Amino acid sequence: MLYEYNRYAKPAKPAPPEKNWFLIINLVLALVLGTISLIVQFSNKPPVARFDEARRDVARARQLQAAVYAPDQLRMAEHYLEQSRLMWASENQRWMYHRNFSRVETMAQKASDMAEYAAMRSVTLRDSLRWVAATGINLTKKRIADIRSQFADMPMEGQVRQQIAFSELAIYESEEAFKRGDFRRAVARYQIASKKIGSAGDEVTQILNGYFVNAPKWRKWVQQTIRWSAEKNEPVIIVDKLAHRCHVYRNGVKTAEFPVELGPNWLGHKRQRGDGATPEGLYHVKRKKSGHRTAYYKALEINYPNAEDVAQFRAAQARGDIARNAGIGGLIEVHGDGGKGANWTAGCVALRNRDMDTLYSMVGEGTPVTIVGSLRGISTAYSENSAAPDGKGQNTAK
Amino acid sequence: MKAKALVTVLVVVFAMAMMLGCAKVPQADLDAAKAALDAAKAAEVDRYLPELFNAVKDSLNSATAEIEKQNSKFALFRSYKKVKELLAKVTADANDAVNQVAVKKEEVKTEVEGLMAQVAPAVENVKGLMKKAPRGKEGRAALEAINSELAAVEASVAEANTAMTNGDFLTARDKVQANLQKLASLAQELQAAIDKKLGR
């Protein structure tokens, strides 16, 4: 059949174009990815490098022992770092495009700055503490050694000796802490040692100050004795208790000097029988003894107690300082059998036998014997006092 | 039909990508790492092995920084794999540090116990020498002085024991070594006095 054109007929509907789903999806995905890329591209970047640097700075401060030597600063740096992280976390909650990390960076910078300060402070403080500890240990050890050598023979309360021992123990502990690099503890222990030795030193100084109250009187006695020797051209004996020396003068000139040993409680004037103290005063040789008349090789018995001693003793008894039934004591001698290296007599003055021979031959009955606390003032007495009764003192008899 | 299948596949892939992209912070691992660090601190790792403690602490900081770094990324691109690795390492290192500090403490404790065992014989030695030392007039004061010092050492030994009981082994070690040094010097002093007496 032929195709017949009908001009009035409705034109046929064109077939709808087939949808290209593959293309559409790709376009949508491209659009989504593109948008994401743009958002990522134009969003603020997190301060990863800045934060990592701050973290490394804090770690470095820790490594440099800031936890020990700059704990407050380290804590602050760690706090800033944590704040920075929290701010970062807070920004992460926001939509990407609206994130602003400037506060995070500022806080991380603060953490870095504080960590650097902590590190620097730690190093400085550690070095400084090391120096302080080393110096303090040396000085305290020297002070302990000085006090030990200078006051070794000084009658001291057990408590004072314990203070010295505690001081030594603390300084040993300080040295141990120093060895393992704990300078803070080393300083703390040396400071305790220093305090204890200082307190022992203060007590000793107090005792010495009390002792030296009589220094003017001693000076007067010594001058008077030497003058007498010069005037009479006679020998005199002067005993310096602090220096543990016995001097012999003739015609006002020193002719001999011997080391001596005293009673264990030699510091201070003899007050009563059995106190182990050596009297101070102006005496004279009452009796010379040798052979079976003395138990100590040779002896020069002096006239203790003299009138002043008796008066002092009675006054002390009246005050109640000394018991009513106490005795004043006596039989104080300058005798031999010394050289034991200790203050061992009951209040006498002991010389080595060879020195006693010399002295015995130089003096006679009636020879003045002046016993004083010290020939020098307190300021010089102990710095120069090296005449401890170690038995090695030199006889300088001429 | 073909197109519909393709769409389905793409939607599934996209959804999976979204799910994977929205990976969660490994909170349990983070908590475990923090707890392990706290345990290390409680075990005094910071005192006995400070370098180890600092390294673990820094690793934890590094892990938390990595978490925030991942959180800053677009959800699709986040990955906490590295964070998990870091946190696992922190936990393992902290636990290892606790074990190491226990060994270290045991070493110090054994050392201090060894030193402490020397104290009693040293005290006895000093007391024995005191019996042999000159006891006459010339020795009495010196012996009294040494007795006072021995009392100081005995007080310090008690302090060392307290430190030991409290688990402060480093302080105990310092004290015991100091005591031994002091006892040695007392023994030396006494021996010198005895030798002098015997005229050696």
Side-chain angles (χ1 to χ4, degrees), chain B residues 161-177:
Chain B
N161 279 323
T162 308
M164 190 75 176
T165 311
N166 294 340
D168 189 354
F169 305 128
L170 294 176
T171 301
R173 183 169 64 183
D174 289 353
K175 285 194 178 291
V176 177
Q177 275 173 337

Side-chain angles (χ1 to χ4, degrees), chain B:
Chain B
M1 281 305 285
K2 218 175 168 184
K4 278 187 180 174
L6 189 64
V7 169
T8 312
V9 168
L10 283 172
V11 166
V12 168
V13 166
F14 189 75
M16 279 178 71
M18 287 297 283
M19 279 169 72
L20 285 173
C22 292
K24 292 275 178 294
V25 173
Q27 193 58 47
D29 300 56
L30 181 61
D31 292 344
K34 282 182 176 170
L37 187 72
D38 287 346
K41 186 155 176 63
E44 295 184 289
V45 176
D46 55 337
R47 190 172 177 210
Y48 286 84
L49 300 165
E51 284 175 15
L52 199 55
F53 183 81
N54 293 343
V56 176
K57 197 170 166 67
D58 185 45
S59 295
L60 180 64
N61 282 342
S62 173
T64 54
E66 182 63 26
I67 288 174
E68 296 314 327
K69 191 176 153 189
Q70 292 305 321
N71 287 348
S72 293
K73 289 181 180 173
F74 189 74
L76 272 175
F77 307 129
R78 285 176 196 167
S79 164
Y80 293 102
K81 195 179 162 201
K82 190 182 168 191
V83 171
K84 281 176 85 94
E85 283 171 9
L86 282 171
L87 289 174
K89 191 173 180 309
V90 169
T91 308
D93 287 353
N95 290 339
D96 185 44
V98 170
N99 293 334
Q100 280 192 45
V101 86
V103 172
K104 176 84 179 169
K105 275 185 170 183
E106 198 54 40
E107 271 174 25
V108 180
K109 190 182 169 192
T110 308
E111 188 194 344
V112 179
E113 281 170 348
L115 290 168
M116 274 190 161
Q118 296 173 33
V119 172
V123 170
E124 285 312 308
N125 180 40
V126 169
K127 285 182 176 169
L129 289 170
M130 281 173 79
K131 284 178 191 158
K132 290 184 204 164
R135 301 187 70 79
K137 285 177 178 176
E138 68 271 28
R140 198 185 309 134
L143 284 177
E144 278 170 14
I146 287 176
N147 239 335
S148 302
E149 297 192 24
L150 197 58
V153 173
E154 282 172 335
S156 176
V157 169
E159 285 175 11
N161 279 323
T162 308
M164 190 75 176
T165 311
N166 294 340
D168 189 354
F169 305 128
L170 294 176
T171 301
R173 183 169 64 183
D174 289 353
K175 285 194 178 291
V176 177
Q177 275 173 337
N179 293 334
L180 287 171
Q181 250 182 295
K182 181 68 193 161
L183 286 166
S185 81
L186 288 178
Q188 203 178 359
E189 195 181 328
L190 283 162
Q191 193 59 56
I194 293 165
D195 288 349
K196 191 173 177 184
K197 181 189 166 193
L198 297 174
R200 285 179 193 158

